[in-house]
Amino acid sequence: MAKKIVVINDWYGEDLKAEMRKAAEKAGFDIAFYETQEEAADAVADAEVIYGFPNRILSGAASLKWLCLPTAGADAFCKEGVLGEDVILTNASGAYGVTLAEFAVMVTLMLLRRQKLYDDTMRERIWHGQVPQRTLCGSRVTLLGAGDIGQCYARRIRPFEPAIITAVNRSGRTDADCFDEVYPQSALKEILPRTDILVMSLPSTPETIRILNKELIDLLPDDAYVVNVGRGTAIDEPALIEALNAGRLAGAALDVMHEEPLPADDPLWEAKNILLTPHIAGNLTTEHTRRVNVAMFLEDLDNYANGRELRYRVNRRLGY
Amino acid sequence: MAKKIVVINDWYGEDLKAEMRKAAEKAGFDIAFYETQEEAADAVADAEVIYGFPNRILSGAASLKWLCLPTAGADAFCKEGVLGEDVILTNASGAYGVTLAEFAVMVTLMLLRRQKLYDDTMRERIWHGQVPQRTLCGSRVTLLGAGDIGQCYARRIRPFEPAIITAVNRSGRTDADCFDEVYPQSALKEILPRTDILVMSLPSTPETIRILNKELIDLLPDDAYVVNVGRGTAIDEPALIEALNAGRLAGAALDVMHEEPLPADDPLWEAKNILLTPHIAGNLTTEHTRRVNVAMFLEDLDNYANGRELRYRVNRRLGY
């Protein structure tokens, strides 16, 4: 019996499926496609490779040797005991930079332009006059998280002529040349008071849980904005809500929250100047993301079939 | 009696007023500031220079020699008989490129990202799943209007990696190096069928009235988007509404309309996939726009006081 790959995803078109079939055959694998985890539940039993996000059916995947996530976030599979110790885990960090950065630029501008006010009033057919607005031009932008997303974002906002783009990551070092300066997280206390827009794109790891806590939120200027497209766990939400409602922050755009879907009675819904979206920034539906995603899987399938190291392997201890 | 400048605007802060006072004194002028046209109505009677938008009080400005508009649009003062023949007209075209381009990038992304759907559903606290979205990355962008706004927009979207940026203007020529290609308006029939996003930033002149008519709208692909931050007169609105409602266009973002404020019963309000804002894209409230605007006025004040040609003079026949 041939070795088996199970693909779980409902966004790949026929062209990408054909490409995967061809590559699987070359690598000596059978490949089967399922749109949902439920449909794939039986098939994963003898799958050596899963390309998908099988969080609900993982216990049935007894033969699994390699799990390739189509997502950037890998935290759900890095928790102790979720995945067998010998299973290789890869992710698609790098496929989402473009879509996440486009989204993050959009919400940054929506905050600066008071788009929520205009949307509210236009819905009532009220022709609202000009209110004070701000520009990315001249703004001081701090990126908490300087990986693929932060780099894509920095490159895209550069011609908007921000006053400065500061990147903050674990090490305070990066090879990327798209930032004006890079600091380690320990420098946040110095950087946040001189930040107009804080853009967060951190993975969820023990180190990033509630990294933006009350103390750090209070260091941001009252007219600062916060954007989060990484993981909701990185923000102390009650502290953020309090700051927003008290006018100690100008606004926030969150695509990710502590609990998703956000419960109907969560106070985040009614926080002042908040812009919420249902975790759709890192969108697999965009043509670009789909193509890059599948290309990453096939690159590692070739590595896997030939006994080489996998390029997009997740460090399960670090969580990304 | 010293010659007199009347400034009408409520967005200049004390620092910019001080700068203007100093320059006026150097040029041998008295200068007076008013927040509204009504407050300035008496004062304009003996004003040689007005820096403002005095559309309702112009008939009282009997001594006017130079009208400096803080706006880019000059069409209201280019109509036959509105302004005395010898009055010099200047505008602030060039001050708005940054704010208009930031706005136009925002709404472009909001259209591509289906932000209206997510805004609608999040208002109902519905956690909507992923719908097909698109990226600026790989999109074919056509700019109808290749002046300051079009150039600022092109430079800002370049790192998003659009497939191509095509500029269309009257002459088919430009010195700007930010476009991939430039065509005259007569080429629109060839260009629109290969356009994903059409961004319009035209002044209102006899030549641009309803330039985007039914015939041209029909040439756009069904999944194309239209953005207009120039003048509302440039679009045949009934034809646009029909195309949107019939699904022959994916969406449109209009900051300007034929009639402003838009009447409460106008069918534009209910057009499918439309994003309307109340003519706030070219925002004078942004720090950058204010500073550039005043700098342009003071540059020409120096020219005026020294009998030189004014740099930002409007060609009243062309209307911009």
Side-chain angles (χ1 to χ4, degrees), chain A residues 99 102 113 119-120 122-123 125 127-128 131 133 135-137 257 261 264 269-270 278 280-281 283 285, chain B residues 99 102 113 119-120 122-123 125 127-128 131 133 135-137 155 257 261 264 269-270 278 280-281 283 285:
Chain A
T99 174
E102 291 202 9
R113 303 294 304 214
D119 189 42
D120 284 347
M122 287 305 260
R123 279 171 187 269
R125 304 197 180 182
W127 195 263
H128 203 290
V131 291
Q133 299 192 359
T135 51
L136 247 176
C137 176
M257 295 120 212
W269 290 108
E270 296 191 347
I280 43 84
N283 201 301
T285 70
Chain B
T99 173
E102 291 201 9
R113 303 295 303 214
D119 188 42
D120 284 347
M122 287 306 260
R123 277 169 190 270
R125 304 196 180 182
W127 195 262
H128 203 291
V131 290
Q133 300 193 358
T135 50
L136 248 176
C137 176
R155 279 193 286 272
M257 296 119 211
W269 290 108
E270 296 190 348
I280 42 85
N283 201 304
T285 70

Side-chain angles (χ1 to χ4, degrees), chain B residues 27-45:
Chain B
F29 280 85
D30 279 343
I31 189 166
F33 297 92
Y34 301 90
E35 296 198 352
T36 66
Q37 291 188 55
E38 287 61 37
E39 291 172 31
D42 293 336
V44 295

Side-chain angles (χ1 to χ4, degrees), chain B residues 127-144:
Chain B
W127 195 262
H128 203 291
Q130 291 199 350
V131 290
Q133 300 193 358
R134 284 153 60 192
T135 50
L136 248 176
C137 176
S139 290
R140 300 164 299 178
V141 179
T142 298
L143 307 176
L144 184 44

